[in-house]
Every structure is written in C-alpha cells, then in structure tokens.
Amino acid sequence: MTTRDAVLKREAKSPQELYEEREKRVRDAIQLKEPDRVPVLLGLGYFPARYTGVPTSAAYYDVAAWKEANRKTILDFEPDLYRASTGANSGLVLETLGSTQMEWPGGKLAANVSHQMNEVEYMKEDEYDLFLSDPTDYMLRVFLPRQFRALEPLAKLPSLNLMWGQAFATVTPLFTTPEFRQVAEALYKAGREEAKWRQAMDTFEEEMAQLGFPPHAHAGGVGGAPFDMVTDNIRGMQGSMIDMYRRPEKLLALCDKILEWRTARAAPANPKKRGNPKRLFLALHRGAAGFMSKKQFERFYWPGLKKAILTSIDLGFVPMPFFEGRYQDRLEYLLELPRGKAVCHFEHMDMARAKEVLGGHLCIMGNVPSSLLQAGSAQEVEEYCQKLIKVCGKDGGFILTNASAIDEAKPSNVRAMVDSVKKHR
Amino acid sequence: MPSALVTAIADLQEDEALRLAKDRVAAGEDPLKILQDARSGMEIVGQRFADATYFLPDLVYAGEILKGVSELAKIPLAKAAQDKRLGKCIIGTVAGDIHDIGKNIVVFMLDVSGFEVYDLGVDVPAEKFVEKIRETNAPVVGLSGFLTLAFESMRETVQAISDAGLRSKVKIMVGGGQVDETVRQYAKADAYGTDAMAAVKLSKGWVGAK
C-alpha cells in the first residue's frame, strides 16, 4: 500500500482537509484566537535518523533515504506542523568547495552525529572599512577565499571594479593557470551536484502537503538579527565581542548595512504559495542572556532584530523567531512587535511568565526540554506538556513544541509530547 | 586598597590599564607583581560576572586586556600562574562534540580564580579523562557539551571513571547548552552548572577553598 493510501485509510478526512484543519489550528493560535486544541510542532532535526535507523549522514549524502526517514517520522507521529532538516547542502558540494565553517556527518565527523559549526573570524578587526566600502569586492577576493578552501585562488584576482573598455581581457591569462582551472572544475562539479541535490530534496514539502502535513516555516524575508550575521559568520564570537568595546560604531554600521542589503533584496511573501500565513523561521543566537547584557542587547541586538522583523511583517510574513538560550529578562521588548503578527519560540524560559507578559499580544511556542525528551520518562514528558497546555494554552496563542534539538530523544517521549495536545485541554 | 591597575582592569579601562602597566615596567618593578595585580583585577571581573554585573563580552574583553598587560610585562600568563594554590581541575568537551566556547570560558574563569586547569580540548574520549585523572590526581573533573549526543558521552565518561576505580576520588560537574538536572542524573555526575561562575563555585566548594 502506498503511503497516501495508508493515510486515506487511517483518517476519515482527506489529506487536503487535514492540511487545512492543521493550518487553521495554527493560524488561530498565531492570531490569538482559541483553536479547537493546542497545535503541536515537531522540530525533527536528526531525530528521524535515530528513529528510522539511517545514519545522520544521509541528510548530506542520500536524498532518498533522508526524505524517506523524515516522511516516515512525520506520518508516524502526525504533528500539526513539522520542521524537517532538508535544507542542508549536499556533502559532496561541501567537500568540493572545502567548507571551513561547518563540519557534517559523513564528512570529517562520524556518520551518526549532528553537524557542528566552527567558530570563525573570516573578517579581521581592521577590515571593516574594506568590507563596507566595497562589499562585493571584499566577498570575492577576501571573504570567499577564506571561507572555502577551493576558492583560495580568488584572492589573486585583481580588483574588478574598474573593468571598462577592454580591461577585462588582460585579466584572462590568470584563468589558464592550474589553480584557476581547478577553481573552475570545482565550481562545475559543485554546481552540478547542488542542482541535482536541491531538485530532489525540494520536492519534500509538496510531497508532505499532499499527505496533509504543512511545514513549520521557511527562511526568507529580511532574516534574523544582523548582529548574529556578524558574530556567526563574519567576525566570530570573540571578535564581535571585542568590537563592542574597541569599535562599536563600525560594528553597528556593519549591522545597519546588512539590514539595508537584506531589505533591498527581500521579496514579498508569495500568497500563491501553499500555507497561510507565510511563516518565517529565524534562528537567533547571541542575543541571549548567556551572551550579552540587557544593555548590550538594547544597543547591539534588539534594534536590528526589531527592524528586520517589522520589515518582514510588512512584506506579508509571520516571523517566528527561535530564541535559543535564555531570554527571560528580555520578554518586555517583544511587546514592541505588532499584536498577533509574530510567534516567539522559547528554549529555556519560564513559560508561565512568558504567557503573563506576552499573552493576548503574541503567540508563544515552546518548550519541552531536550534533556527530558532524551533522559526522562514518557510520563514526565506528558506531565510537563499538560502543564504547558493548561497555563499557556488558555485562551489560545500557544503552540506546543520541543525546546531545541531532539536528535537523541526517545521515540516514546516524542510520542508523549505530540499526543499530549490530543489528550489535554 | 587595591592598586590602580587592579581597578582599571576590573573596570575594563583598557587604555588606562595598559598605561599603568607600561609605567610600572618602565619603573623597573618586578613583572610578576604587575601580573599578580592583573590577576586580582580579573578576579573582580569574575565576581562581577557571577553577580550578573558583567556578561560574556565584558569577560572576553577583560581577557584581551589581561593579554595586553602580560605582553607588556613580557611574562607569559602561565608563568605568572605558578603560585596556584586552590587545586587542580580537568576540563574537556566530551566525545562526539567539538563545541568549545562554553568550555573555554569555564577554563578561563577557573584559571583566573586560581585553579590549575588541565584543558583536554574537544571531542575527548572517556579514556583520556581517566588517564588524566590518574596522571594528575585532580579532584575535580568538568565535562562540557552542547549537543544532545553529549548527554550519552557524559554518562559514558562518568561510567569509565567509575570502571577505573576513580569515581570516589573525583567530583564531576557537567555543563553546556541544554545540560540541566535531568542530564546530571542521567550522567550520574555530582553537579551541573549553567555558567562559568557556577563551575568556579562548585570547584571551590569541592577543594575546600573559600
């Protein structure tokens, strides 16, 4: 029996009806109306690997196996929304380009672990002006050669910003050198593989929609906090924190520029696409209490994040920032966002207090701990969820979900979490 | 009355701290004494971090200032640490996990608080912890991890320490990302902490320091 038939047989409703029912439940929660019951989002991460018995490296090397693992997990657990890790690049592409920022299972890492990020300082402390004055030149000749080993030769390119007349012809002998021929080969190889990979992977959501399951959200809009871009991808943690003291104006100027570039490039939400409203996923990192003070948050983090969220809302999106870490003392800032237009996903949070502060203003989402899902009992998970449903679910505006990664969670505990919304009111 | 250098470092006044250090070096003062003051300044930074006056960026910046002062004094920091008196700690990120931000902060804070820290790095197999305990007789072991797979590695590491007959000789703390009481119990560790000062407090308690 095909999976579609299995779903049809099991449910009295058609997949399309189920899809709409789930979307409505989520929409009601976001718009602060009381849904028929609390919706549940399952953030899958690498859990499908453990659950179905494939290595996590399948997410990077075996599209068919990874899609099947995710499909099986979603069909078995039946969450209202799912977040699948199907956005990763092909491992072959990462290998070919020589990625220095990320390690992935089946690459340098063992085949059964999650990916991990290296802390990098691609831009040095004295390069702000270089970047700000000519970002494309900086990216091409400085940043990319540091970021990907296969692109190191790009550092030898001359500046390409004065290429009128026949000037570019004089550059071409460079491309006959062995190292540039290697660059060309690597790009060809990576490009071919990436196109194939994306084409195969990107059908996943539509396939799941046909089975009645809407996805959580997409990347896009104006994105998350500009400060995170700087600290995660450009200056590294150490560098960006020292910049807060030694060159705060430059740091803020770069944050502003990133926001400006992203805003200029952001496309409005496409109403013809599936799912309504158009939900946006934003991963936030270094604005948490563990990373900066409230004063630093106010100066370096919140203004950029707020502007990004507001602009995305104007473009027709519903941003759903994931507040990883501790934001307990920063809840009040979120009242500056327009009512019912965003969803806040919390990790470590006193959810009762979050409800108290944000209730009636923004939908909140959270926060079954990874530790509980991995090391606790099903009964403990159910009790935790029951309490959340009772306190946060009151009058709507709440989505139940795992606090963070559940890569190693016990399936019976994940089951207890997803089923809790059907048992408790 | 603390010296001006202690206060400058404690207040994160980089230019002032470097100027004071330079003057004292020029005046022919014993560089070790200068560095001792710098460390005292760092201890105050640590206390302010503990009571949430300071946060991570302040700690990182203080570390930079300390580095600058030690360069001026022409003494590597490790050398100035010879008068360590509190005790030994072994710290590492457990097997399978390569995250080091949290671990490095813990190492740094233990170090400036007067501990002799053996930093085993990241992705540390259980046997390495066991070997290091045997070699150093350190009474405190800290297991760090950010990923959920680290919960299992922590448990295996504690088990390996038990199997080696060393469990009663050490106190074990766990920390990082999502580590909480549930994980502590699962790993059978003695305590868990949510920040670097918790590690310092626990370690001090275990070695009987104030």
Side-chain angles (χ1 to χ4, degrees), chain A residues 103 113-114 116 118-119 237-238 241-242 244-246 286 289-293 296 324 326 330 347-348 369-372 374-376 404-405 407-408, chain B residues 12 14 49 53-58 60-61 64-65 67 96-101 105 146-152 177-180 182-183 186 194:
Chain A
E103 307 298 344
V113 300
S114 51
Q116 307 185 38
N118 291 315
E119 191 57 31
M237 186 191 86
Q238 177 106 355
M241 288 184 172
I242 291 168
M244 285 179 174
Y245 277 97
R246 288 198 183 142
R286 307 238 166 105
F291 283 109
M292 58 171 75
S293 70
Q296 288 157 342
E324 190 174 6
R326 294 181 165 78
R330 280 138 227 229
E347 186 190 12
H348 301 293
S370 307
S371 57
L372 195 60
Q374 185 169 335
S404 185
D407 302 350
E408 317 281 324
Chain B
L12 307 178
E14 184 175 24
F49 183 69
T53 310
Y54 282 170
F55 284 72
L56 197 50
D58 316 303
V60 168
Y61 185 50
E64 279 294 295
I65 301 174
K67 213 159 78 186
D97 199 327
I98 60 169
H99 288 90
D100 63 1
I101 290 180
I105 298 162
F146 180 75
L147 301 169
T148 53
L149 67 83
F151 306 167
E152 198 58 43
Q178 308 170 57
V179 171
D180 57 13
T182 311
V183 176
Y186 183 71
T194 54

XYZ file of all heavy atoms in Angstrom, chain A residues 103 113-114 116 118-119 237-238 241-242 244-246 286 289-293 296 324 326 330 347-348 369-372 374-376 404-405 407-408, chain B residues 12 14 49 53-58 60-61 64-65 67 96-101 105 146-152 177-180 182-183 186 194:
589
model
N 31.219 21.434 9.964
C 31.589 20.021 9.882
C 30.278 19.241 9.847
O 29.315 19.623 10.502
C 32.404 19.590 11.100
C 33.620 20.453 11.389
C 34.654 20.437 10.276
O 34.581 19.541 9.411
O 35.524 21.327 10.271
N 26.432 11.463 13.873
C 26.325 12.622 14.767
C 25.668 13.784 14.023
O 25.422 13.707 12.828
C 27.711 13.069 15.309
C 28.363 11.946 16.085
C 28.615 13.524 14.167
N 25.401 14.876 14.741
C 24.814 16.032 14.082
C 25.926 16.919 13.532
O 27.080 16.774 13.909
C 23.946 16.816 15.057
O 24.657 17.098 16.244
N 28.135 20.350 13.063
C 28.620 21.291 14.061
C 29.316 22.448 13.348
O 29.864 22.272 12.273
C 29.594 20.592 15.024
C 28.973 19.328 15.613
C 29.824 18.639 16.659
O 30.471 19.273 17.460
N 29.802 17.319 16.647
N 32.114 25.530 13.137
C 33.384 26.032 13.654
C 33.241 27.521 13.941
O 32.564 28.230 13.211
C 34.498 25.837 12.624
C 34.838 24.376 12.428
O 34.964 23.636 13.400
N 34.951 23.946 11.187
N 33.875 27.963 15.007
C 33.870 29.388 15.334
C 34.930 30.047 14.447
O 36.082 29.650 14.466
C 34.223 29.515 16.824
C 34.037 30.860 17.425
C 32.633 31.407 17.290
O 31.666 30.638 17.267
O 32.530 32.635 17.188
N 32.672 34.984 17.548
C 32.197 35.450 18.846
C 33.197 36.379 19.518
O 32.875 37.487 19.931
C 31.907 34.269 19.768
C 31.282 34.718 21.073
S 31.206 33.403 22.305
C 32.825 33.555 23.024
N 34.427 35.917 19.615
C 35.477 36.696 20.271
C 35.621 38.060 19.606
O 35.612 39.094 20.257
C 36.787 35.899 20.151
C 37.988 36.577 20.709
C 38.400 35.945 22.018
O 37.728 35.066 22.533
N 39.500 36.386 22.580
N 32.641 40.454 20.077
C 32.502 40.954 21.448
C 33.563 42.005 21.767
O 33.289 42.986 22.452
C 32.569 39.791 22.430
C 31.303 38.961 22.363
S 31.247 37.639 23.548
C 29.540 37.099 23.293
N 34.755 41.799 21.261
C 35.795 42.802 21.472
C 35.441 44.081 20.701
O 35.664 45.192 21.180
C 37.171 42.239 21.050
C 37.577 41.152 22.049
C 38.229 43.335 21.000
C 38.745 40.323 21.629
N 32.574 45.292 20.323
C 31.590 46.062 21.107
C 32.298 47.145 21.917
O 31.721 48.192 22.209
C 30.863 45.150 22.098
C 29.833 44.243 21.496
S 29.138 43.267 22.858
C 27.847 42.411 22.010
N 33.542 46.867 22.306
C 34.315 47.829 23.086
C 35.238 48.690 22.242
O 35.325 49.893 22.430
C 35.169 47.097 24.132
C 34.388 46.764 25.366
C 33.829 45.512 25.541
C 34.180 47.731 26.345
C 33.091 45.230 26.679
C 33.453 47.457 27.478
C 32.908 46.198 27.640
O 32.175 45.929 28.756
N 35.948 48.048 21.324
C 37.003 48.793 20.628
C 36.509 49.551 19.413
O 37.104 50.543 19.023
C 38.116 47.829 20.197
C 38.931 47.333 21.374
C 40.245 46.758 20.891
N 41.010 46.214 22.008
C 41.732 45.094 21.932
N 41.773 44.417 20.804
N 42.414 44.683 22.980
N 23.054 35.043 19.528
C 23.890 35.665 20.549
C 23.257 36.879 21.211
O 23.958 37.741 21.720
C 25.253 36.005 19.944
C 25.896 34.774 19.281
C 27.240 34.446 19.859
N 27.670 33.109 19.459
C 28.599 32.850 18.532
N 29.195 33.838 17.908
N 28.942 31.602 18.252
N 20.758 35.974 27.220
C 21.396 36.452 28.449
C 22.772 35.822 28.661
O 23.651 36.433 29.259
C 20.486 36.191 29.637
N 22.966 34.613 28.180
C 24.276 33.980 28.322
C 25.336 34.645 27.473
O 26.534 34.456 27.679
N 24.914 35.440 26.491
C 25.876 36.038 25.566
C 26.054 37.545 25.722
O 27.076 38.082 25.325
C 25.489 35.732 24.117
C 25.817 34.339 23.686
C 24.835 33.402 23.473
C 27.142 33.949 23.518
C 25.140 32.102 23.088
C 27.471 32.661 23.135
C 26.460 31.730 22.922
N 25.020 38.237 26.226
C 25.203 39.680 26.397
C 24.265 40.237 27.464
O 23.267 39.620 27.809
C 25.033 40.432 25.076
C 23.702 40.251 24.385
S 23.495 41.391 22.976
C 24.544 40.672 21.726
N 24.629 41.400 27.972
C 23.800 42.045 28.986
C 22.577 42.668 28.310
O 22.521 42.789 27.093
C 24.592 43.138 29.697
O 24.814 44.222 28.808
N 23.661 45.712 26.443
C 24.277 45.380 25.151
C 23.216 44.913 24.159
O 23.284 45.227 22.967
C 25.355 44.301 25.361
C 26.588 44.861 26.059
C 27.411 43.807 26.784
O 26.937 42.700 27.068
N 28.648 44.144 27.113
N 16.941 30.930 21.092
C 17.760 29.870 21.680
C 18.520 30.431 22.868
O 19.115 31.500 22.783
C 18.731 29.339 20.623
C 19.458 28.086 21.068
C 20.326 27.473 19.977
O 20.443 28.092 18.893
O 20.889 26.398 20.206
N 18.650 31.802 26.900
C 17.795 32.385 27.942
C 17.425 33.835 27.627
O 18.292 34.680 27.499
C 18.526 32.316 29.296
C 18.715 30.891 29.756
C 19.406 30.762 31.104
N 19.223 29.404 31.614
C 19.921 28.343 31.190
N 20.853 28.499 30.276
N 19.678 27.153 31.673
N 14.253 39.506 28.841
C 14.118 40.330 27.635
C 12.719 40.239 27.016
O 12.504 40.673 25.888
C 15.140 39.858 26.583
C 16.526 40.394 26.837
C 17.651 39.412 26.633
N 18.520 39.549 27.802
C 19.827 39.701 27.762
N 20.467 39.651 26.622
N 20.515 39.872 28.868
N 13.341 28.626 24.285
C 14.014 27.400 24.712
C 13.990 27.298 26.237
O 13.134 26.662 26.810
C 15.451 27.363 24.173
C 16.123 26.034 24.484
C 17.619 26.019 24.194
O 18.218 27.083 23.966
O 18.193 24.915 24.224
N 14.936 27.986 26.901
C 14.925 27.988 28.368
C 14.078 29.171 28.813
O 14.503 30.314 28.680
C 16.329 28.151 28.938
C 17.262 27.074 28.503
N 17.129 25.772 28.888
C 18.353 27.103 27.696
C 18.086 25.034 28.353
N 18.850 25.817 27.615
N 11.943 20.334 27.202
C 13.412 20.273 27.195
C 13.968 19.028 26.496
O 13.412 17.936 26.617
C 13.785 20.235 28.680
C 12.581 20.730 29.403
C 11.397 20.359 28.563
N 15.073 19.227 25.791
C 15.771 18.117 25.135
C 16.167 17.058 26.151
O 16.109 15.861 25.880
C 17.041 18.609 24.465
O 16.765 19.679 23.617
N 16.590 17.532 27.328
C 17.060 16.590 28.355
C 15.919 15.668 28.772
O 16.100 14.467 28.916
C 17.592 17.363 29.555
O 16.585 18.217 30.060
N 14.730 16.252 28.929
C 13.564 15.462 29.344
C 13.193 14.461 28.248
O 12.891 13.297 28.521
C 12.394 16.415 29.618
C 11.204 15.858 30.388
C 11.635 15.370 31.755
C 10.119 16.915 30.529
N 15.069 13.151 26.115
C 16.094 12.124 25.937
C 16.243 11.236 27.166
O 16.353 10.022 27.056
C 17.438 12.800 25.626
C 18.557 11.827 25.313
C 19.767 12.554 24.771
O 19.640 13.640 24.206
N 20.943 11.977 24.929
N 16.243 11.846 28.340
C 16.570 11.071 29.545
C 15.392 10.894 30.489
O 15.472 10.126 31.439
C 17.725 11.751 30.282
N 14.278 11.587 30.237
C 13.132 11.460 31.134
C 12.239 10.287 30.753
O 12.554 9.512 29.857
N 14.359 22.501 21.860
C 15.522 22.583 20.973
C 15.717 21.222 20.311
O 14.746 20.512 20.080
C 16.732 23.036 21.787
O 17.827 23.226 20.929
N 16.971 20.849 20.057
C 17.250 19.626 19.305
C 16.777 18.377 20.040
O 16.893 18.274 21.260
C 18.748 19.521 19.037
N 17.712 15.262 18.704
C 18.413 14.256 17.895
C 18.445 12.875 18.542
O 18.369 11.858 17.879
C 19.856 14.706 17.628
C 19.905 16.050 16.914
O 18.844 16.515 16.466
O 20.992 16.623 16.807
N 18.611 12.845 19.861
C 18.786 11.568 20.555
C 17.582 11.217 21.419
O 17.678 10.411 22.328
C 20.019 11.620 21.461
C 21.243 12.285 20.854
C 21.971 11.363 19.906
O 22.019 10.157 20.191
O 22.470 11.854 18.881
N 37.418 47.512 33.277
C 37.572 47.336 31.823
C 38.090 48.596 31.136
O 37.680 48.924 30.022
C 36.242 46.898 31.192
C 35.577 45.665 31.812
C 34.242 45.367 31.120
C 36.482 44.442 31.718
N 40.784 49.721 29.285
C 41.936 49.138 28.594
C 43.113 50.108 28.492
O 44.247 49.760 28.852
C 41.530 48.672 27.194
C 42.674 47.969 26.458
C 42.263 47.397 25.114
O 41.277 47.874 24.519
O 42.942 46.465 24.656
N 30.993 39.083 36.995
C 30.332 38.173 36.058
C 29.358 37.278 36.833
O 28.238 37.033 36.400
C 31.381 37.336 35.327
C 30.823 36.406 34.281
C 30.271 36.898 33.113
C 30.872 35.031 34.471
C 29.763 36.039 32.144
C 30.356 34.161 33.502
C 29.807 34.667 32.345
N 26.684 41.590 36.907
C 27.007 42.966 36.543
C 27.688 42.941 35.176
O 27.460 43.789 34.332
C 27.983 43.586 37.563
O 27.480 43.353 38.869
C 28.169 45.072 37.328
N 28.546 41.932 35.010
C 29.217 41.750 33.724
C 28.642 40.560 32.986
O 28.121 39.625 33.590
C 30.719 41.513 33.943
C 31.516 42.778 34.242
C 32.840 42.682 34.656
C 30.951 44.040 34.085
C 33.586 43.823 34.931
C 31.694 45.185 34.353
C 33.002 45.069 34.781
O 33.728 46.191 35.043
N 28.817 40.592 31.662
C 28.357 39.490 30.812
C 29.514 39.022 29.942
O 30.637 39.497 30.072
C 27.142 39.937 29.990
C 25.883 39.992 30.802
C 25.694 40.988 31.751
C 24.905 39.023 30.666
C 24.544 41.033 32.534
C 23.744 39.058 31.435
C 23.570 40.056 32.365
N 29.206 38.090 29.067
C 30.259 37.466 28.280
C 31.171 38.452 27.528
O 32.394 38.299 27.561
C 29.622 36.454 27.326
C 30.549 35.420 26.719
C 31.407 34.734 27.757
C 29.725 34.389 25.959
N 30.612 39.450 26.837
C 31.509 40.364 26.112
C 32.511 41.052 27.053
O 33.669 41.268 26.677
C 30.550 41.396 25.499
C 29.254 40.673 25.384
C 29.197 39.775 26.590
N 32.060 41.367 28.263
C 32.934 42.025 29.231
C 34.070 41.088 29.648
O 35.218 41.491 29.797
C 32.105 42.451 30.452
C 30.783 43.087 30.036
O 30.818 44.073 29.287
O 29.731 42.561 30.425
N 35.236 38.548 27.848
C 36.128 38.370 26.698
C 37.067 39.572 26.577
O 38.276 39.424 26.363
C 35.303 38.189 25.400
C 36.182 38.293 24.168
C 34.581 36.845 25.413
N 36.493 40.750 26.755
C 37.296 41.974 26.645
C 38.328 42.040 27.767
O 39.499 42.384 27.532
C 36.364 43.184 26.687
C 37.046 44.522 26.470
C 37.905 44.716 25.385
C 36.813 45.588 27.327
C 38.515 45.941 25.181
C 37.413 46.817 27.125
C 38.267 46.993 26.050
O 38.867 48.208 25.852
N 41.248 40.116 26.901
C 42.113 40.829 25.958
C 43.018 41.815 26.687
O 44.190 41.968 26.364
C 41.260 41.594 24.942
C 40.741 40.736 23.817
C 41.847 40.215 22.921
O 42.514 41.019 22.248
O 42.045 38.987 22.921
N 42.427 42.522 27.662
C 43.220 43.496 28.422
C 44.333 42.769 29.181
O 45.492 43.188 29.184
C 42.317 44.293 29.406
C 41.220 45.039 28.625
C 43.148 45.271 30.227
C 40.195 45.742 29.508
N 45.725 40.013 28.409
C 46.731 39.579 27.438
C 47.686 40.744 27.142
O 48.903 40.560 27.092
C 46.030 39.115 26.158
C 46.743 38.001 25.442
C 45.804 37.232 24.517
C 45.541 37.996 23.229
N 44.525 37.345 22.376
N 32.506 13.219 20.653
C 31.485 13.462 19.641
C 31.102 14.920 19.494
O 30.431 15.296 18.542
N 31.512 15.743 20.435
C 31.116 17.153 20.427
C 32.363 18.023 20.287
O 33.338 17.828 21.018
C 30.397 17.475 21.739
C 29.548 18.744 21.643
O 29.952 19.670 20.910
O 28.504 18.810 22.305
N 32.342 18.958 19.323
C 33.542 19.787 19.123
C 33.319 21.230 19.558
O 34.078 22.114 19.225
C 34.013 19.758 17.650
C 32.924 20.295 16.709
C 34.430 18.367 17.235
C 33.407 20.552 15.284
N 32.255 21.492 20.303
C 31.999 22.868 20.737
C 32.949 23.265 21.863
O 33.171 22.504 22.791
C 30.561 23.009 21.211
C 29.592 22.972 20.076
N 29.039 21.804 19.623
C 29.106 23.960 19.284
C 28.243 22.080 18.599
N 28.262 23.383 18.370
N 33.482 24.477 21.753
C 34.455 24.849 22.783
C 34.225 26.218 23.425
O 34.937 26.584 24.343
C 35.881 24.764 22.230
C 36.113 25.741 21.085
O 35.175 26.488 20.745
O 37.219 25.753 20.542
N 33.220 26.963 22.974
C 33.032 28.314 23.534
C 32.815 28.244 25.046
O 33.542 28.843 25.821
C 31.838 29.033 22.866
C 32.178 29.385 21.416
C 31.479 30.296 23.630
C 31.058 30.095 20.687
N 35.398 29.286 28.302
C 35.083 30.290 29.318
C 35.266 29.689 30.713
O 35.802 30.326 31.620
C 33.640 30.809 29.138
C 33.497 31.494 27.767
C 33.273 31.784 30.238
C 32.059 31.650 27.321
N 27.560 20.613 24.158
C 26.478 21.464 23.654
C 25.386 20.620 22.994
O 24.204 20.902 23.116
C 27.050 22.458 22.647
C 26.027 23.387 22.058
C 25.524 24.440 22.805
C 25.570 23.211 20.764
C 24.568 25.296 22.262
C 24.620 24.067 20.221
C 24.120 25.115 20.972
N 25.799 19.571 22.312
C 24.844 18.750 21.563
C 24.130 17.763 22.481
O 24.633 17.416 23.547
C 25.592 17.955 20.485
C 26.363 18.775 19.466
C 27.263 17.865 18.643
C 25.414 19.541 18.567
N 22.968 17.275 22.004
C 22.256 16.300 22.818
C 23.014 14.969 22.883
O 22.869 14.226 23.839
C 20.837 16.058 22.272
O 20.926 15.724 20.888
C 19.976 17.304 22.419
N 23.841 14.689 21.879
C 24.606 13.444 21.942
C 25.610 13.459 23.084
O 26.082 12.421 23.540
C 25.307 13.160 20.604
C 26.437 14.082 20.119
C 27.775 13.723 20.749
C 26.548 13.995 18.617
N 25.915 14.669 23.562
C 26.868 14.798 24.669
C 26.321 14.180 25.961
O 27.087 13.748 26.816
C 27.223 16.270 24.902
N 24.980 14.130 26.091
C 24.411 13.547 27.311
C 24.909 12.107 27.468
O 25.267 11.659 28.547
C 22.873 13.532 27.275
C 22.224 14.872 27.008
C 20.877 14.942 26.683
C 22.948 16.052 27.083
C 20.256 16.159 26.428
C 22.339 17.279 26.824
C 20.994 17.329 26.495
N 24.882 11.396 26.352
C 25.314 9.999 26.361
C 26.818 9.909 26.641
O 27.265 9.084 27.438
C 24.979 9.363 25.000
C 24.965 7.862 24.978
C 23.976 7.262 25.969
O 22.840 7.770 26.078
O 24.363 6.302 26.663
N 25.098 24.263 26.993
C 23.846 24.274 26.238
C 22.616 23.852 27.011
O 22.032 24.621 27.756
N 22.236 22.617 26.850
C 20.950 22.174 27.377
C 21.091 21.285 28.613
O 20.161 20.570 28.983
C 20.215 21.431 26.270
C 20.170 22.274 25.017
C 19.684 21.512 23.822
O 18.597 20.979 23.857
N 20.480 21.450 22.782
N 22.277 21.303 29.199
C 22.514 20.458 30.365
C 21.750 21.004 31.576
O 21.815 22.179 31.887
C 24.020 20.375 30.672
C 24.252 19.685 32.007
C 24.743 19.644 29.552
N 21.002 20.123 32.220
C 20.237 20.511 33.395
C 20.244 19.360 34.410
O 21.010 18.402 34.259
C 18.809 20.917 33.003
C 18.071 19.803 32.252
O 18.570 18.652 32.247
O 17.008 20.084 31.681
N 18.164 16.993 34.870
C 17.833 15.705 34.249
C 19.094 15.062 33.664
O 19.321 13.858 33.821
C 16.795 15.899 33.117
O 15.726 16.702 33.611
C 16.254 14.580 32.631
N 19.891 15.876 33.004
C 21.122 15.358 32.401
C 22.121 14.954 33.490
O 22.806 13.936 33.384
C 21.755 16.404 31.451
C 23.072 15.897 30.899
C 20.799 16.736 30.328
N 21.132 11.657 34.692
C 21.359 10.668 33.641
C 22.838 10.311 33.553
O 23.209 9.147 33.442
C 20.867 11.228 32.309
C 20.982 10.275 31.151
C 20.144 9.172 31.057
C 21.934 10.482 30.152
C 20.250 8.287 30.001
C 22.040 9.610 29.088
C 21.191 8.510 29.014
O 21.304 7.645 27.954
N 25.056 26.276 34.976
C 24.607 26.922 33.742
C 25.553 28.028 33.286
O 25.364 28.600 32.238
C 23.193 27.522 33.899
O 23.209 28.393 35.028
C 22.163 26.439 34.122
